[in-house]
Amino acid sequence: MNITDLLTDLQSQYDETTVRAGELRDQIEHLTATLAETEARLADLDTTRKVITELAPAGEDSEPAESTTAYQAIVNAFNQHPDQAFRARELHELLGMPTDEATVNITRSRLGRLVRQGFLTQPGRGHYQKRT
């Protein structure tokens, strides 16, 4: 290979590399713009989430998942035994839940809420039954 062929080959490689560098700069420019748009969208979504969290009324939707599961277990027990009245501790025993006083008191609160929502009745002090 002579020097002229070598220089021609180098010039060809240089031209191809220059074109490729231009393409990459264009891609970088496009990706930078897309990234800026995406980050702005993330900021908007974060702001929206914060506003909704502040404005949302406290209540059922703010219940932790474990409470929802506990409510579902309680409701299921009453659905399976619609004519039976339960005390909170009896309900815990039926469901295999801990029977310590603190845990039973939480269930008493949940039962009271279900009474206020109209799902249960309270036929006697400390007794709860499914509303028919």
Side-chain angles (χ1 to χ4, degrees):
M1 178 178 270
N2 65 31
I3 299 253
T4 306
D5 292 340
L6 181 61
L7 288 173
T8 303
D9 187 47
L10 283 173
Q11 184 63 44
S12 175
Q13 289 181 31
Y14 179 86
D15 293 342
E16 290 173 8
T17 304
T18 301
V19 169
R20 179 69 178 139
E23 291 171 353
L24 291 172
R25 283 187 198 97
D26 290 344
Q27 287 179 1
I28 289 171
E29 187 177 310
H30 172 73
L31 290 172
T32 301
T34 302
L35 177 61
E37 291 171 8
T38 303
E39 287 176 338
R41 178 71 175 143
L42 281 172
D44 290 346
L45 290 170
D46 189 45
T47 301
T48 302
R49 181 185 51 79
K50 287 177 183 176
V51 168
I52 290 172
T53 300
E54 289 175 10
L55 296 177
E60 294 176 33
D61 292 340
S62 63
E63 290 282 336
E66 63 192 41
S67 294
T68 303
T69 304
Y71 276 106
Q72 190 59 53
I74 292 168
V75 169
N76 288 342
F78 281 102
N79 285 337
Q80 291 171 358
H81 306 280
D83 297 328
Q84 186 174 349
F86 290 102
R87 291 184 158 282
R89 188 170 303 279
E90 296 168 344
L91 193 59
H92 271 245
E93 291 169 358
L94 175 73
L95 297 172
M97 297 168 71
T99 56
D100 60 281
E101 196 60 31
T103 306
V104 173
N105 281 338
I106 292 170
T107 298
R108 283 188 186 101
S109 296
R110 290 176 177 149
L111 291 168
R113 185 174 192 188
L114 290 169
V115 168
R116 288 188 301 278
Q117 290 175 341
F119 181 78
L120 300 178
T121 61
Q122 205 168 0
R125 181 175 162 88
H127 289 86
Y128 302 88
Q129 187 173 9
K130 182 176 180 178
R131 182 177 298 274
T132 53

